């Protein structure tokens, strides 16, 4: 009887470790796919090119953190991508809010809006910028 209990405990530990490892791998791969996507990269490039936003963050160096997968703001489907990307610099941090639409004819993502909201609630519109309107 104790042998079967011992075997059951070993199986439980094994299944728990495999499940945890699988969940961790899935989380890592999802973050990696976000970081490689066109709508993510173009928004981060716009932030890097915006001197006022970078100065307010205290960047470079700019640190981009993992997206919170449970945040309801983060949504991606076939036509729209909406992300809230956590970023920090040496002075402060905040969230980079991005919205992109998929151009069906060109099969590419086009930025609609990129804005940086700092921890002090200041919002800096990055794209479209005030100068281009």
């Amino acid at each position: 009887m104790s042998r079967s209990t011992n075997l059951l405990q070993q199986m439980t530990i094994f299944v728990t470790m495999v499940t945890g490892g699988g969940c961790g791998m899935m989380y890592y791969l999802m973050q990696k796919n976000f970081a490689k996507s066109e709508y993510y990269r173009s928004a981060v490039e716009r932030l890097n090119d915006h001197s006022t936003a970078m100065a307010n963050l205290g960047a470079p160096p700019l640190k981009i953190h993992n997206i919170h997968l449970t945040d309801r703001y983060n949504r991606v489907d076939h036509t729209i991508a909406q992300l809230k990307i956590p970023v920090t610099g040496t002075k402060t941090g905040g969230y980079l809010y991005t919205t992109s639409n998929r151009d069906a004819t060109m099969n590419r993502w086009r930025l609609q809006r990129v804005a940086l909201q700092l921890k002090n609630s200041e919002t800096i519109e990055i794209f479209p910028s005030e100068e281009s309107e």
Side-chain angles (χ1 to χ4, degrees):
M1 185 82 156
S2 70
R3 181 156 166 70
S4 63
T5 305
N6 190 25
L7 183 62
L8 186 59
Q9 286 175 338
Q10 288 176 350
M11 279 181 38
T12 304
I13 291 170
F14 175 75
V15 169
T16 302
M17 290 179 65
V18 168
T19 303
C23 289
M25 180 61 79
M26 185 177 72
Y27 178 83
Y28 169 77
L29 291 174
M30 288 176 76
Q31 293 292 340
K32 193 173 176 181
N33 281 339
F34 274 123
K36 285 198 290 189
S37 65
E38 183 179 6
Y39 48 84
Y40 181 99
R41 285 184 293 118
S42 58
V44 171
E45 286 173 12
R46 293 286 180 147
L47 174 61
N48 280 321
D49 293 341
H50 198 277
S51 58
T52 305
M54 293 292 279
N56 282 338
L57 284 169
L62 177 67
K63 182 152 175 69
I64 302 169
H65 303 278
N66 287 337
I67 292 172
H68 302 291
L69 298 177
T70 57
D71 191 326
R72 291 182 182 262
Y73 186 86
N74 295 319
R75 292 189 305 215
V76 179
D77 63 23
H78 297 292
T79 58
I80 191 164
Q82 188 174 311
L83 296 177
K84 180 180 171 185
I85 306 168
V87 295
T88 55
T90 57
K91 289 183 186 175
T92 189
Y95 290 100
L96 185 66
Y97 288 89
T98 73
T99 305
S100 299
N101 288 336
R102 187 177 199 76
D103 183 359
T105 57
M106 300 289 286
N107 198 25
R108 296 197 57 152
W109 289 94
R110 290 184 326 185
L111 281 175
Q112 297 298 309
R113 179 175 185 252
V114 179
L116 175 66
Q117 184 175 20
L118 299 172
K119 286 182 181 175
N120 66 5
S121 299
E122 178 185 356
T123 301
I124 301 169
E125 291 293 329
I126 296 173
F127 180 83
S129 61
E130 295 83 28
E131 300 92 42
S132 63
E133 293 178 350

